[in-house]
Amino acid sequence: MYVVDVMEEDDNRKNWHEIYYKGRIVTPKWVRNISPYTIATREQFERAVEELKLKIWLTDGKNGAILNT
């Protein structure tokens, strides 16, 4: 699940980007570095999903596996 937490201020709007899988935050570090004054582009979102699909496929269900992003 992709969540954008929007923080409204008097003179601007900040968007915090998080991606969740099975209730855990799995957001790649580079996604967190996207400026909070923008929304992730479709290309950035698709890149993040592709990275996570591979990482989850390699680790999901393995005993003690942790998704380090």
Side-chain angles (χ1 to χ4, degrees):
M1 173 174 41
Y2 174 62
V3 176
V4 178
D5 183 22
V6 179
M7 182 189 309
E8 297 278 346
E9 296 181 351
D10 291 339
D11 60 347
N12 64 55
R13 168 188 271 191
K14 293 181 183 175
N15 303 290
W16 307 102
H17 313 275
E18 293 292 356
I19 301 173
Y20 292 83
Y21 177 71
K22 292 186 176 180
R24 295 178 63 190
I25 296 174
V26 295
T27 310
K29 289 178 186 173
W30 66 266
V31 172
R32 289 188 176 152
N33 289 331
I34 295 172
S35 171
Y37 298 101
T38 65
I39 287 286
T41 66
R42 181 181 182 100
E43 291 79 18
Q44 290 170 320
F45 177 75
E46 288 175 352
R47 176 180 160 206
V49 168
E50 289 303 314
E51 286 180 20
L52 290 171
K53 281 174 32 181
L54 176 60
K55 197 172 276 194
I56 289 167
W57 180 77
L58 291 172
T59 61
D60 197 31
K62 295 188 175 150
N63 194 15
I66 297 175
L67 296 173
N68 294 320
T69 55

